[in-house]
Amino acid sequence: MNLVRRYLLHNGLSLGFGLIFLLALIGQAIAGHADFNNRLAAESAPQISFTDYVTSSDFAVDVAENWQSEYLQFFLYILLTIWLIQLGSPESKHPREVGLESDEQQSLGRHAGPSSPHWARVGGWRTVLFSWSLSLTMFGLFLFSWFAQSVAGHSSYNSEQLGQLEDPVGYGEYVASADFWNRTLQNWQSEFLAIGSMAVFSVYLRQRGSPESKPVGAAHATTEKTG
């Protein structure tokens, strides 16, 4: 097997989702541009080019508000599954493993193996940081995309205010506004519903061959066993 085929095989999931992401983003840009120009036409306003649209605050806020909700979802999911369980779900740990687990269970320090990451073996602050690196990264990406959404939303909102001959608002006023929180919470609630439904459905339903599902013949009460 040559190097290219091996790389594609070993990274198929990330590459596949990356391609789907790009196609969806391009589709959103095309549809959003058409919809935006339709609204401009209804107001007898001049239409804008595709380039102007994808570099506008209107497009940026639509993209960023979805990104921040996704990263928030995974940040909370990573943390909550440390202490909360769903008996029978492959998305959950077994009840006896609730909590941060011991160094031996986590292969840390003197319990690390020869192939363990260096920061898992050295101890001290580096091991602590590495132990929390996934949730910290997700939280950082959430904060970044949330801030991007707030800045783009503020700009878009003030553009609408000026178009309606009303005074623009300050950044702090916008972040406390109903418009901002309506955009934010409608994304949050959908993400929390989806991931909570997945945890429950996976107790009783199966998908043969998927690591997100238990083996088809596993008992409903079987927890933390993927198929």
Side-chain angles (χ1 to χ4, degrees), residues 140-161:
L141 289 170
F142 159 67
L143 288 180
F144 174 79
S145 52
W146 183 89
F147 178 69
Q149 175 202 345
S150 68
V151 171
H154 176 232
S155 176
S156 177
Y157 184 80
N158 277 342
S159 295
E160 292 181 6
Q161 290 287 96

Side-chain angles (χ1 to χ4, degrees), residues 178-205:
D179 179 83
F180 176 75
W181 285 106
N182 178 52
R183 282 180 171 273
T184 300
L185 292 172
Q186 66 179 307
N187 284 280
W188 288 7
Q189 56 87 13
S190 63
E191 300 299 339
F192 299 151
L193 174 64
I195 202 163
S197 298
M198 177 63 180
V200 175
F201 290 159
S202 61
V203 175
Y204 305 102
L205 306 177

Side-chain angles (χ1 to χ4, degrees), residues 49 52 58 126 128 141 172 177-178 180 211 218:
S49 68
D52 287 340
D58 292 272
R126 287 177 292 180
V128 173
L141 289 170
S177 70
F180 176 75

